Amino acid sequence: CSYRLRDALHPLWQSPLTIPGGTRQSPINIQWRDSVYDPFLKPLKISYDPTTCLHIWNNGYSFLVEFDDSTDRSIIVGGPLENQYRLKQFHFHWGAINEWGSEHTVDSKFYPAELHLVHWNAVVYPTFEEAVMEGNGLAVIGVFLKLGAHHEGLQTLVDALPAVKHKDTVVEFDVFDPSCLIPSCPDYWTYAGSLTTPPLTESVTWIIKKQPIEVDENQLEAFRMLLFTSDGEEEKRMVDNFRPLQPLMNRTVRSSFQ
Ligand SMILES: Nc1nnc(SCC(=O)Nc2ccc(S(N)(=O)=O)cc2)s1
Ligand SMILES: [Zn+2]
């Protein structure tokens, strides 16, 4: 692994980072028959305040919808989590074509896209930046997107995407309830993993919903119109922004359902 120790002691993060190439990297393939039903897993409780929505930002990897995480107005609790976690942002990963695009796979099947709702443990850690460094610091809900019916709730987001076509552009987006993007079926898998983009820290409790949401072709195409590149640079379409599958190593994926 080409990870330089110097980066691990980057001034931004005083203590050494867990070096990627570690033991709990993400994403992974979820082999349904190898997942273990855990009857002690609680239902995940989601309560988002739509007015905590701030803006949409093209950060050159994906587009992020960011939230005001200065209070506990948008939180999740229960599921595999010991504490409540605050919503900070959500974003997507997708492919150039519908055959692939998700980060996680189920029985080696890719979905055309995957939604990540990123939360942090503000009960235990004073800032997001510190939570990113800790094994129980983050909780990310993963939702698979499949090709199907038009998704009304997603459309309000899709309509705003032309305003963030280029890297490092931001557009105000001030009322949105991400609950509309989460399937009604309560079933999920959960495992201990990592961020899937730098700093790749092993700080994520992953909660992957079993049921996908349906979006239509035009909505997926709208994601593919975004650019990795800044205004004025040679255009590179923002597609295939998913990390390769990582080894499961010594981990068990638990399911909340039989
Ligand atoms: N000092 C620091 N500021 N910010 C960071 S990490 C920023 C961040 O939210 N990164 C992030 C990367 C990947 C994912 S993902 N794809 O959900 O695993 C979620 C979140 S460390
Ligand atoms: Zn992600």
Side-chain angles (χ1 to χ4, degrees), residues 149-166:
H150 181 78
H151 195 295
E152 277 304 305
L154 184 68
Q155 193 55 36
T156 56
L157 184 50
V158 165
D159 290 340
L161 292 185
V164 288
K165 185 178 171 77
H166 293 99

Side-chain angles (χ1 to χ4, degrees), residues 98-225:
N98 298 336
E99 286 13 85
W100 60 71
S102 59
E103 294 216 294
H104 293 87
T105 54
V106 179
D107 294 344
S108 300
K109 168 196 160 73
F110 281 96
Y111 285 89
E114 183 173 334
L115 160 65
H116 289 158
L117 296 130
V118 181
H119 310 75
W120 61 283
N121 186 341
V123 170
V124 173
Y125 305 109
T127 65
F128 171 80
E129 284 69 19
E130 285 178 76
V132 167
M133 305 293 292
E134 304 294 337
N136 65 342
L138 303 182
V140 181
I141 299 176
V143 179
F144 295 117
L145 276 63
K146 74 178 239 190
L147 188 62
H150 181 78
H151 195 295
E152 277 304 305
L154 184 68
Q155 193 55 36
T156 56
L157 184 50
V158 165
D159 290 340
L161 292 185
V164 288
K165 185 178 171 77
H166 293 99
K167 178 181 176 191
D168 294 333
T169 50
V170 181
V171 66
E172 190 184 343
F173 196 64
D174 49 7
V175 181
F176 184 79
D177 180 357
S179 311
C180 75
L181 300 174
I182 299 175
S184 52
C185 175
D187 296 348
Y188 62 85
W189 291 283
T190 182
Y191 77 97
S194 75
L195 298 180
T196 66
T197 66
L200 299 171
T201 43
E202 297 182 332
S203 54
V204 180
T205 299
W206 280 95
I207 299 167
I208 308 287
K209 300 290 283 187
K210 181 185 82 175
Q211 185 181 54
I213 59 170
E214 290 192 21
V215 300
D216 69 21
E217 183 64 37
N218 292 333
Q219 295 177 312
L220 285 170
E221 277 304 322
F223 288 12
R224 300 175 183 135
M225 306 273 282

